[in-house]
Amino acid sequence: TMQNVHLAPETDEDDLYSGYNDYNPTYDTEELENDTAFQQAVRTSHGRRPPITAKIPSTAVARPVATGYGSKTSLASSMGRPVTGAVQEGVTRPMTAVRAAGFTKAALRGSAFDPLAQSRGPAPPLEVRSEDSPEEKIRQLEKKVNELVEESCIAHSCGDLKLALEKAKDAGRKERVLVRQREQVTAPESISLDLTYAVLFNLASQYSANEMYAEALNTYQVIVKNKMFSNAGRLKVNMGNIYLKQRNYSKAIKFYRMALDQIPSVHKEMRIKIMQNIGVTFIKTGQYSDAVNSFEHIMSMAPNLKAGFNLILSYFAIGDREKMKKAFQKLIAVPLEIDEDDKYISPSDDPHTNLVMEAIKNDHLRQLERERKAMAEKYIMTAAKLIAPVIETSFALGYDWCVEVVKGSQYVELANDLEINKAITYLRQKDFNQAVETLKMFEKKDSRVKSAAATNLSFLYYLENEFAQASSYADLAVNSDRYNPSALTNKGNTVFANGDYEKAAEFYKEALRNDSSCTEALYNIGLTYKKLNRLDEALDCFLKLHAILRNSAHVLYQIANVYELMEDPNQAVEWLMQLISVVPTDSRVLSKLGGLYDSEGDRSQAFQYYYESYRYFPSNIEVIEWLGAYYIDTQFCEKAIQYFERASLIQPTQVKWQLMVASCFRRSGNYQKALDTYKDIHRKFPENVECLRFLVRLCTDIGLKEVQEYATKLKRLEKMREIREQRVKSGRDGSGGPRSRRDGSAGSESGQNRSKGERVSAQLRALPGTDEPYESSCSRELDASYVDPLGPQVERPKTAAKKRVDEDDFADEELGDDLLPE
């Protein structure tokens, strides 16, 4: 190895300047063309061959390498860098500090050039985090708590309050487990308070929504008392709301004020809402002066409709007229902050612009504006109707003042509505003339107001049965506004009153086409079909109306009546039973049920409902008559006496009730009481033949001396009756015949004609007991007047009372249309 080491001569040690002309042949670029190793490396891959490894890889000593540039002396570089070119055998290439890019061991072995290492395939997958680690468990548990809170909120928004509460409780339980695990892993300062706050707040809200107020208050207290929760003081507003629901007004005001103190003044809207809650609570407690202070402050700082209306209510409760006027003016002056309708009118005929205008005309913002305007009009109209009767000496002057104030504001169109309300107030006071005069002032107004006024005028004249005037004003209302369902309904009513049912049905149908929710038109068209005997169509109308008005007594009655006309008593009874559940004390419905059960032969059920009807209204002659006949038929004549006595009190001029009382005494064996009753009847009705006949027979059997006197009177009356009958037969100028004109005539075997009102009952059976006194020979003539012959039940003609139930009692509801809403 020493043969390649060049030692400097000793004689040169003292030469300080020697060696400067010697240089490494590597840097000799002039003789590269003659360098065989370099030329070979350029033309071939000679330079890529790996160097010959040496046993001693030391690079501390520079080794001169022989090159083809043999005449030169190779010197070691100061950096120890070997010469380039062919590596001599047995000489190791030294290591360098910088490695060439892209050259690897694999490349030196002959592999393809791959600087990006694409031949190695895809990168190995990331190392899977262990699920058993505490951090991962905490992260998954936190995710689960957030999901439960979200599910609770979604369930609450869908109306499932019970599920929302369960989810909130589950989130609270898991959140407490999460806190304990965090305390074990990390420091307490690193625990997130936002999740705890969200879980507790949601739990308190769900408790409150489920009306579990004690639990909600406890949960809110946990949040409020924790000083680490920022802005938790405003939750005292929620606690005040809970106390308000519990009617604990003092605590509600206390918590509202505590919340007001803890909310900074920059949050003006929140403070205004809290003060409004305080004012409402003061109204509920009757502290109107304190409520006035709150609402006055609100109206001075940020006026709004609700505060203005509540201020008027407070002044109305106090009775301060001047302050009511000022508060009404403040309410009128509250800005609506909505766009005018002119904004939505297209300025050009551009189709694209028109489509855009149509799209935004009914968008959500426009609907919100309409709702705000409707709410403002409602508050103003209600306040005007409230204060108008008290701010001036009369309600008319009060309405006039309100109208003048409204005319000078942004609610000019409400002035006409106030005038119509003035007319309606006249109606409530039964001053029809003033109401009509007020409404007639609108005949020259615009079409909408004219139609409303004419509709009300038509309704008024209809109620007064002035159908000609009602028809003319109904025509005016229809001509002013053809799409006014109330006007069309009133026009149909006037045509209905004249008997033209087909034409009336057309008006009702048109009203329904304009407004499918017009229940008056639907009800009246059902009545029209019933008049036309189109019972199936009438039933369809009333069933549709029943789907809209589930508990309307009139609709239920009409359905039952239609089934009765269709000869379906079972369905009629079923619907009347539903009607009884709505109006359980209506005596006429109960008597109707009794009549249906009686026609079906179920007398026990009939008696139950007739007795209930009598209990609620003991002056119905039909019910009294049926109950008395029922007790006579069941051989309880003593109980029948009280009903006939009541009937005689109701109709003292009808002798038949007193005759029935005497007959009941006689049948029960109390002959003395019967005799006294007959004598009393004779004093009141001396020309009653039946009473004299009973007196003659009773006195004869008892052996009284008055028998001759009564017999003489009886013969005289019978003779007078025969003379009267002969005159009627000879003259032929009486339609019904005088022979039927006997007050309280009990009838005879000859079967004289009697009016329906003079007969006791068609349901009375033939009274048994032929072995009793006064039941032989002519006595049957006396009793025949109180019974109908036995035989199959025939349908009784409707009496006047039943006609009143069917027609008169429902006349206003059948054809009357409600006044227009304010």
Side-chain angles (χ1 to χ4, degrees), residues 388-423:
V390 297
I391 58 176
E392 298 291 346
T393 55
S394 67
F395 85 91
L397 295 176
Y399 265 107
D400 293 338
W401 182 87
C402 293
V403 168
E404 292 301 322
V405 173
V406 169
K407 284 182 178 179
S409 68
Q410 55 185 329
Y411 305 99
V412 182
E413 64 275 6
L414 291 182
N416 294 325
D417 295 335
L418 281 174
E419 289 284 356
I420 292 179
N421 275 294
K422 180 181 176 182

Side-chain angles (χ1 to χ4, degrees), residues 273-329:
K273 289 182 178 180
I274 295 175
M275 292 193 68
Q276 191 157 330
N277 285 5
I278 294 174
V280 171
T281 311
F282 276 131
I283 289 179
K284 289 183 175 293
T285 57
Q287 303 177 35
Y288 301 111
S289 300
D290 295 328
V292 164
N293 295 333
S294 298
F295 294 127
E296 282 284 5
H297 178 74
I298 295 173
M299 294 301 290
S300 62
M301 297 296 295
N304 61 78
L305 295 170
K306 290 183 178 180
F309 182 71
N310 288 333
L311 182 60
I312 293 175
L313 291 180
S314 302
Y315 281 131
F316 178 80
I318 295 173
D320 194 333
R321 295 184 178 182
E322 294 301 323
K323 293 291 182 66
M324 275 189 269
K325 290 183 178 180
K326 292 180 180 178
F328 186 75
Q329 291 172 341

Side-chain angles (χ1 to χ4, degrees), residues 545-559:
L545 195 58
H546 176 64
I548 301 172
L549 307 174
R550 301 297 299 180
N551 295 322
S552 174
H554 301 296
V555 175
L556 291 171
Y557 173 79
Q558 292 297 337
I559 295 174

Side-chain angles (χ1 to χ4, degrees), residues 391-642:
I391 58 176
E392 298 291 346
T393 55
S394 67
F395 85 91
L397 295 176
Y399 265 107
D400 293 338
W401 182 87
C402 293
V403 168
E404 292 301 322
V405 173
V406 169
K407 284 182 178 179
S409 68
Q410 55 185 329
Y411 305 99
V412 182
E413 64 275 6
L414 291 182
N416 294 325
D417 295 335
L418 281 174
E419 289 284 356
I420 292 179
N421 275 294
K422 180 181 176 182
I424 294 174
T425 308
Y426 277 124
L427 283 179
R428 292 195 179 101
Q429 296 182 354
K430 307 298 182 182
D431 194 347
F432 294 102
N433 295 328
Q434 286 291 341
V436 170
E437 291 298 324
T438 305
L439 291 172
K440 284 183 177 179
M441 294 168 54
F442 294 96
E443 293 184 10
K444 297 182 180 180
K445 298 285 185 178
D446 58 23
S447 59
R448 184 186 69 85
V449 180
K450 185 192 299 183
S451 177
T455 300
N456 286 289
L457 283 170
S458 174
F459 175 69
L460 287 175
Y461 283 120
Y462 181 83
L463 292 180
E464 294 180 349
N465 293 328
E466 297 182 14
F467 299 124
Q469 289 279 10
S471 180
S472 63
Y473 278 105
D475 290 333
L476 177 61
V478 171
N479 294 332
S480 301
D481 185 3
R482 187 72 186 182
Y483 298 100
N484 186 349
S486 299
L488 292 166
T489 302
N490 283 343
K491 180 60 180 176
N493 292 346
T494 57
V495 176
F496 185 97
N498 293 327
D500 192 351
Y501 303 123
E502 294 287 352
K503 191 174 181 181
E506 292 300 323
F507 281 109
Y508 296 142
K509 289 178 181 177
E510 187 175 355
L512 285 173
R513 285 194 295 269
N514 294 336
D515 183 8
S516 59
S517 63
C518 185
T519 55
E520 294 87 356
L522 187 57
Y523 186 89
N524 290 349
I525 198 173
L527 293 179
T528 307
Y529 286 142
K530 197 167 74 167
K531 289 286 186 181
L532 294 171
N533 202 28
R534 294 156 63 176
L535 300 180
D536 292 332
E537 297 177 55
L539 184 61
D540 289 339
C541 292
F542 289 127
L543 289 175
K544 289 178 183 177
L545 195 58
H546 176 64
I548 301 172
L549 307 174
R550 301 297 299 180
N551 295 322
S552 174
H554 301 296
V555 175
L556 291 171
Y557 173 79
Q558 292 297 337
I559 295 174
N561 184 246
V562 170
Y563 274 120
E564 186 181 3
L565 295 175
M566 296 172 70
E567 297 181 356
D568 191 347
N570 295 328
Q571 284 290 337
V573 167
E574 182 178 344
W575 285 95
L576 285 176
M577 293 297 291
Q578 294 187 37
L579 178 57
I580 285 297
S581 66
V582 177
V583 281
T585 60
D586 193 312
S587 61
R588 291 166 296 184
V589 177
L590 290 167
S591 64
K592 189 76 174 177
L593 265 173
L596 286 173
Y597 276 116
D598 189 25
S599 63
E600 292 296 307
D602 192 348
R603 301 202 70 196
S604 60
Q605 284 286 350
F607 170 75
Q608 177 185 348
Y609 287 108
Y610 272 124
Y611 182 77
E612 287 294 313
S613 175
Y614 174 79
R615 191 165 63 88
Y616 288 118
F617 185 63
S619 299
N620 190 333
I621 290 295
E622 272 201 347
V623 175
I624 294 172
E625 181 181 358
W626 192 93
L627 288 172
Y630 175 80
Y631 280 119
I632 290 176
D633 191 28
T634 54
Q635 303 297 318
F636 291 100
C637 298
E638 297 87 350
K639 291 186 176 181
I641 292 173
Q642 59 175 334

Side-chain angles (χ1 to χ4, degrees), residues 7 25 58 75 121 140 166 222 255 289 307 317 334 340 344 362 410 414 422 471 558 653 715 739-740 767 785 800 817:
L7 299 176
S58 175
L75 297 177
Q140 293 296 327
E166 292 298 327
V222 172
F255 275 86
S289 300
V334 172
E340 299 295 333
Y344 299 97
N362 292 312
Q410 55 185 329
L414 291 182
K422 180 181 176 182
S471 180
Q558 292 297 337
T653 58
K715 289 179 180 180
R739 62 180 178 178
S740 62
L767 299 178
S785 60
D817 191 13

Side-chain angles (χ1 to χ4, degrees), residues 49-246:
R49 288 177 296 176
I52 300 173
T53 58
K55 297 179 181 179
I56 304 173
S58 175
T59 58
V61 180
R63 300 182 179 85
V65 180
T67 65
Y69 210 70
S71 62
K72 301 280 182 156
T73 303
S74 60
L75 297 177
S77 170
S78 62
M79 297 297 293
R81 180 185 178 98
V83 297
T84 61
V87 180
Q88 295 181 5
E89 185 178 356
V91 179
T92 306
R93 181 184 178 93
M95 296 177 65
T96 59
V98 178
R99 186 178 184 182
F103 288 90
T104 62
K105 293 181 179 180
L108 294 176
R109 296 190 185 99
S111 63
F113 180 71
D114 189 12
L116 300 179
Q118 296 179 358
S119 61
R120 297 180 182 178
L126 297 175
E127 182 180 354
V128 180
R129 191 180 299 273
S130 174
E131 295 183 358
D132 296 334
S133 62
E135 292 82 3
E136 184 64 21
K137 288 183 178 179
I138 290 173
R139 190 177 295 107
Q140 293 296 327
L141 189 57
E142 184 176 349
K143 181 180 178 182
K144 182 62 177 177
V145 171
N146 282 315
E147 290 177 354
L148 286 171
V149 172
E150 291 179 3
E151 290 173 2
S152 175
C153 296
I154 293 173
H156 179 85
S157 64
C158 295
D160 194 348
L161 302 180
K162 186 176 180 181
L163 178 61
L165 180 58
E166 292 298 327
K167 294 288 185 182
K169 288 180 178 180
D170 196 9
R173 287 190 292 267
K174 285 185 169 50
E175 193 274 334
R176 288 192 291 271
V177 174
L178 174 63
V179 169
R180 287 194 294 269
Q181 291 188 4
R182 280 186 182 275
E183 290 175 350
Q184 295 174 2
V185 175
T186 61
E189 293 78 9
S190 63
I191 296 175
S192 175
L193 295 175
D194 293 338
L195 184 60
T196 304
Y197 182 88
V199 169
L200 290 175
F201 179 69
N202 179 60
L203 180 59
S205 300
Q206 302 307 332
Y207 274 135
S208 179
N210 284 272
E211 299 183 358
M212 301 171 67
Y213 297 129
E215 292 82 354
L217 289 172
N218 292 335
T219 310
Y220 279 126
Q221 285 287 359
V222 172
I223 303 175
V224 171
K225 289 182 178 181
N226 194 335
K227 302 299 182 183
M228 301 180 69
F229 293 137
S230 60
N231 299 325
R234 66 181 58 190
L235 292 182
K236 291 182 179 178
V237 177
N238 296 20
M239 300 175 71
N241 291 339
I242 292 176
Y243 283 121
L244 184 64
K245 291 177 182 178
Q246 292 179 335

